Amino acid sequence: MNNKLTDKSDVYSFGVVLIELITGRAPFQGGRYIVNEVKTTLEKGGISLLMQTLVDHSLIDYDPKCLERLVHIALICVEENPNNRFTMVEIVKELETLIQVSHENQLASPPIHEKMDKVVKPSQLYNKELHHSTQNYDSSSFGYSGSYLDKPVHIVPK
C-alpha cells in the first residue's frame, strides 16, 4: 500500500499465496479481493462456511483441523498492521509443525472422505489472542530440520 518492500510485505504476499492455494482462486476476481472474501466468510459462518463456499473442492483428502490452522496462518500473514504478522521464521516453524501433525493424523485415522458424514464444527478461527500466544522465535532459533524432504536438496546461490 505504501510501495515500500520489507520482510513484512513479503510475509503479506506469502499469506495471499496461501489463500490462493486454499481457495484455488486468483487474488482479484470479478472485482473482489480473495483476502477480504475469506475474512468475511469466516466472520459470517466460521470454518464450516469457508469449507463449503471458498475452499478449493479439489482438496479432497485433508484434515479439517490442519486446514483450519493453515487458514489461521495465512490470515496472520495478511494482517493489516505489519507488526501483527508472522516473521518468515515463525511461518516455517508453523508449517513444519502443521506438516508433522498432518502426517501423524494420516497415520492415526482414515482419510477424510471416509469421515464426510461428520459435521465440522465452526470455530473461532480468526483469533488475535491465539496469534499473540504463539511462541516467538528469533533468527538464532531457526534451523530447518529438513526432515520433510524425501531427497536432499542442493541450494545454489544466485
Side-chain angles (χ1 to χ4, degrees):
M1 288 191 274
N2 60 17
N3 292 324
K4 292 181 184 177
L5 298 178
T6 66
D7 291 343
K8 293 295 185 158
S9 61
D10 289 345
V11 168
Y12 187 94
S13 298
F14 183 76
V16 173
V17 170
L18 280 179
I19 291 173
E20 287 180 71
L21 291 171
I22 293 166
T23 63
R25 299 176 186 206
F28 292 96
Q29 208 170 34
R32 301 177 106 164
Y33 185 41
I34 192 61
V35 172
N36 293 340
E37 293 294 309
V38 168
K39 287 180 180 181
T40 302
T41 301
L42 286 170
E43 288 170 5
K44 286 182 182 176
I47 194 71
S48 292
L49 184 61
L50 183 77
M51 286 182 178
Q52 293 169 6
T53 59
L54 288 178
V55 170
D56 185 352
H57 294 293
S58 65
L59 298 175
I60 56 171
D61 198 20
Y62 62 89
D63 181 335
K65 291 197 182 289
C66 288
L67 178 67
E68 182 174 342
R69 185 64 189 152
L70 187 62
V71 170
H72 180 74
I73 292 167
L75 289 174
I76 291 173
C77 290
V78 297
E79 276 280 330
E80 272 191 51
N81 182 343
N83 295 326
N84 293 337
R85 295 179 198 153
F86 278 136
T87 63
M88 287 308 289
V89 170
E90 291 171 317
I91 293 168
V92 169
K93 295 281 187 183
E94 290 287 332
L95 292 175
E96 282 186 324
T97 301
L98 188 61
I99 290 169
Q100 184 178 6
V101 167
S102 175
H103 181 68
E104 289 169 1
N105 289 347
Q106 285 177 350
L107 294 175
S109 66
I112 189 68
H113 55 76
E114 293 178 21
K115 298 185 278 184
M116 290 301 272
D117 57 330
K118 295 180 182 175
V119 176
V120 178
K121 296 178 182 175
S123 66
Q124 193 65 1
L125 177 66
Y126 189 57
N127 183 344
K128 290 183 183 178
E129 298 300 318
L130 179 60
H131 167 59
H132 293 297
S133 69
T134 321
Q135 186 176 5
N136 289 321
Y137 303 98
D138 60 22
S139 60
S140 66
S141 67
F142 178 67
Y144 177 65
S145 64
S147 63
Y148 301 108
L149 300 175
D150 293 328
K151 300 176 186 174
V153 176
H154 180 65
I155 300 172
V156 179
K158 290 183 179 179

